[in-house]
Amino acid sequence: GDQRGGISITMPVGLILDEFLPQRRQALIVHGFGYLLLVIGSLLFLSHARRAWKRLEDEKLHQEALATERTGELERAVEALRRSNQELETFAYVASHDLQAPLRMVTGYGSLIERRYQDRLDDEGRELLAFMTGGARQMQGMINDLLQYSRVERAEVACLPLNMHEVAQTALHYLE
């Protein structure tokens, strides 16, 4: 039953090493070549990435400069528009204020003529006087509208529905 002992085989190590040495050299060459390709590929990729990053950085700086320039242009345009609106508002206020004085004189003298000379005027005279006072009231309304429009930035504008038929009828009446 029991077997005692063992079998031993001896071989010279040189034969074994001679067998593995070409495979080891081949493995080192393949791995070395692969490592070299990996290093070169990584360097090329990093170089390309660095150039792309530099282009992006340059483009970012260009866009920021362009945005700053355009923002400055917009700020100058807004300031010019603000000044223009202020001048227009001042002009509208002054013009409407200056137009009211002669208008009050026309309205006042028209009322005076109407009171003093109503009985001496014929139908055509009364009609002409009515046209004069009606035109003065219309102009007073326009001046008030101009004043209100000149203050539109300072006050809140209320948008209301508008009957366009009435607007057209009023315009036709004025054109008569």
Side-chain angles (χ1 to χ4, degrees), residues 125-137:
R126 282 192 280 287
E127 182 181 13
L128 292 175
L129 187 60
F131 280 138
M132 184 182 78
T133 55
R137 280 192 299 276

PDB file of all heavy atoms in Angstrom, residues 125-137:
ATOM      1  N   GLY A 125     -71.854 134.528 -37.790  1.00  0.00           N
ATOM      2  CA  GLY A 125     -70.902 135.039 -36.796  1.00  0.00           C
ATOM      3  C   GLY A 125     -70.849 134.149 -35.561  1.00  0.00           C
ATOM      4  O   GLY A 125     -69.769 133.876 -35.024  1.00  0.00           O
ATOM      5  N   ARG A 126     -72.037 133.721 -35.093  1.00  0.00           N
ATOM      6  CA  ARG A 126     -72.068 132.822 -33.938  1.00  0.00           C
ATOM      7  C   ARG A 126     -71.415 131.477 -34.276  1.00  0.00           C
ATOM      8  O   ARG A 126     -70.713 130.888 -33.464  1.00  0.00           O
ATOM      9  CB  ARG A 126     -73.505 132.618 -33.457  1.00  0.00           C
ATOM     10  CG  ARG A 126     -74.034 133.785 -32.655  1.00  0.00           C
ATOM     11  CD  ARG A 126     -75.340 133.466 -31.942  1.00  0.00           C
ATOM     12  NE  ARG A 126     -76.541 133.542 -32.771  1.00  0.00           N
ATOM     13  CZ  ARG A 126     -77.107 134.660 -33.212  1.00  0.00           C
ATOM     14  NH1 ARG A 126     -76.595 135.813 -32.912  1.00  0.00           N
ATOM     15  NH2 ARG A 126     -78.196 134.622 -33.957  1.00  0.00           N
ATOM     16  N   GLU A 127     -71.629 130.995 -35.520  1.00  0.00           N
ATOM     17  CA  GLU A 127     -71.016 129.735 -35.933  1.00  0.00           C
ATOM     18  C   GLU A 127     -69.489 129.887 -35.989  1.00  0.00           C
ATOM     19  O   GLU A 127     -68.749 129.004 -35.507  1.00  0.00           O
ATOM     20  CB  GLU A 127     -71.553 129.307 -37.306  1.00  0.00           C
ATOM     21  CG  GLU A 127     -70.999 127.980 -37.767  1.00  0.00           C
ATOM     22  CD  GLU A 127     -71.520 127.586 -39.152  1.00  0.00           C
ATOM     23  OE1 GLU A 127     -72.103 128.421 -39.871  1.00  0.00           O
ATOM     24  OE2 GLU A 127     -71.308 126.414 -39.500  1.00  0.00           O
ATOM     25  N   LEU A 128     -69.014 130.986 -36.541  1.00  0.00           N
ATOM     26  CA  LEU A 128     -67.562 131.214 -36.610  1.00  0.00           C
ATOM     27  C   LEU A 128     -66.965 131.342 -35.210  1.00  0.00           C
ATOM     28  O   LEU A 128     -65.877 130.822 -34.928  1.00  0.00           O
ATOM     29  CB  LEU A 128     -67.251 132.465 -37.446  1.00  0.00           C
ATOM     30  CG  LEU A 128     -67.554 132.359 -38.940  1.00  0.00           C
ATOM     31  CD1 LEU A 128     -67.328 133.698 -39.624  1.00  0.00           C
ATOM     32  CD2 LEU A 128     -66.714 131.275 -39.582  1.00  0.00           C
ATOM     33  N   LEU A 129     -67.678 132.015 -34.329  1.00  0.00           N
ATOM     34  CA  LEU A 129     -67.219 132.150 -32.946  1.00  0.00           C
ATOM     35  C   LEU A 129     -67.193 130.782 -32.260  1.00  0.00           C
ATOM     36  O   LEU A 129     -66.254 130.469 -31.515  1.00  0.00           O
ATOM     37  CB  LEU A 129     -68.130 133.119 -32.188  1.00  0.00           C
ATOM     38  CG  LEU A 129     -67.691 133.502 -30.780  1.00  0.00           C
ATOM     39  CD1 LEU A 129     -66.329 134.179 -30.805  1.00  0.00           C
ATOM     40  CD2 LEU A 129     -68.708 134.431 -30.141  1.00  0.00           C
ATOM     41  N   ALA A 130     -68.191 129.961 -32.546  1.00  0.00           N
ATOM     42  CA  ALA A 130     -68.222 128.607 -31.965  1.00  0.00           C
ATOM     43  C   ALA A 130     -67.053 127.778 -32.500  1.00  0.00           C
ATOM     44  O   ALA A 130     -66.428 127.008 -31.754  1.00  0.00           O
ATOM     45  CB  ALA A 130     -69.558 127.931 -32.278  1.00  0.00           C
ATOM     46  N   PHE A 131     -66.729 127.929 -33.807  1.00  0.00           N
ATOM     47  CA  PHE A 131     -65.573 127.230 -34.364  1.00  0.00           C
ATOM     48  C   PHE A 131     -64.292 127.681 -33.670  1.00  0.00           C
ATOM     49  O   PHE A 131     -63.416 126.874 -33.345  1.00  0.00           O
ATOM     50  CB  PHE A 131     -65.439 127.482 -35.872  1.00  0.00           C
ATOM     51  CG  PHE A 131     -66.353 126.649 -36.710  1.00  0.00           C
ATOM     52  CD1 PHE A 131     -67.014 127.204 -37.796  1.00  0.00           C
ATOM     53  CD2 PHE A 131     -66.563 125.300 -36.441  1.00  0.00           C
ATOM     54  CE1 PHE A 131     -67.853 126.445 -38.584  1.00  0.00           C
ATOM     55  CE2 PHE A 131     -67.395 124.534 -37.229  1.00  0.00           C
ATOM     56  CZ  PHE A 131     -68.049 125.108 -38.312  1.00  0.00           C
ATOM     57  N   MET A 132     -64.199 129.017 -33.429  1.00  0.00           N
ATOM     58  CA  MET A 132     -62.992 129.555 -32.786  1.00  0.00           C
ATOM     59  C   MET A 132     -62.861 129.023 -31.360  1.00  0.00           C
ATOM     60  O   MET A 132     -61.796 128.525 -30.967  1.00  0.00           O
ATOM     61  CB  MET A 132     -63.033 131.084 -32.768  1.00  0.00           C
ATOM     62  CG  MET A 132     -61.765 131.706 -32.196  1.00  0.00           C
ATOM     63  SD  MET A 132     -61.848 133.496 -32.142  1.00  0.00           S
ATOM     64  CE  MET A 132     -62.866 133.738 -30.718  1.00  0.00           C
ATOM     65  N   THR A 133     -63.921 129.081 -30.587  1.00  0.00           N
ATOM     66  CA  THR A 133     -63.818 128.599 -29.205  1.00  0.00           C
ATOM     67  C   THR A 133     -63.676 127.080 -29.151  1.00  0.00           C
ATOM     68  O   THR A 133     -62.957 126.541 -28.304  1.00  0.00           O
ATOM     69  CB  THR A 133     -65.042 129.051 -28.376  1.00  0.00           C
ATOM     70  OG1 THR A 133     -66.237 128.609 -29.032  1.00  0.00           O
ATOM     71  CG2 THR A 133     -65.069 130.556 -28.203  1.00  0.00           C
ATOM     72  N   GLY A 134     -64.347 126.362 -30.066  1.00  0.00           N
ATOM     73  CA  GLY A 134     -64.188 124.903 -30.123  1.00  0.00           C
ATOM     74  C   GLY A 134     -62.754 124.519 -30.492  1.00  0.00           C
ATOM     75  O   GLY A 134     -62.176 123.584 -29.914  1.00  0.00           O
ATOM     76  N   GLY A 135     -62.176 125.244 -31.462  1.00  0.00           N
ATOM     77  CA  GLY A 135     -60.783 124.989 -31.841  1.00  0.00           C
ATOM     78  C   GLY A 135     -59.827 125.286 -30.696  1.00  0.00           C
ATOM     79  O   GLY A 135     -58.845 124.561 -30.487  1.00  0.00           O
ATOM     80  N   ALA A 136     -60.128 126.339 -29.929  1.00  0.00           N
ATOM     81  CA  ALA A 136     -59.283 126.683 -28.783  1.00  0.00           C
ATOM     82  C   ALA A 136     -59.372 125.587 -27.717  1.00  0.00           C
ATOM     83  O   ALA A 136     -58.356 125.206 -27.117  1.00  0.00           O
ATOM     84  CB  ALA A 136     -59.706 128.036 -28.208  1.00  0.00           C
ATOM     85  N   ARG A 137     -60.602 125.072 -27.477  1.00  0.00           N
ATOM     86  CA  ARG A 137     -60.736 123.975 -26.512  1.00  0.00           C
ATOM     87  C   ARG A 137     -60.003 122.721 -26.997  1.00  0.00           C
ATOM     88  O   ARG A 137     -59.364 122.015 -26.219  1.00  0.00           O
ATOM     89  CB  ARG A 137     -62.219 123.671 -26.258  1.00  0.00           C
ATOM     90  CG  ARG A 137     -62.886 124.620 -25.306  1.00  0.00           C
ATOM     91  CD  ARG A 137     -64.254 124.122 -24.869  1.00  0.00           C
ATOM     92  NE  ARG A 137     -65.188 123.968 -25.990  1.00  0.00           N
ATOM     93  CZ  ARG A 137     -65.937 124.957 -26.510  1.00  0.00           C
ATOM     94  NH1 ARG A 137     -65.863 126.162 -25.989  1.00  0.00           N
ATOM     95  NH2 ARG A 137     -66.739 124.735 -27.521  1.00  0.00           N
TER      96      ARG A 137
END
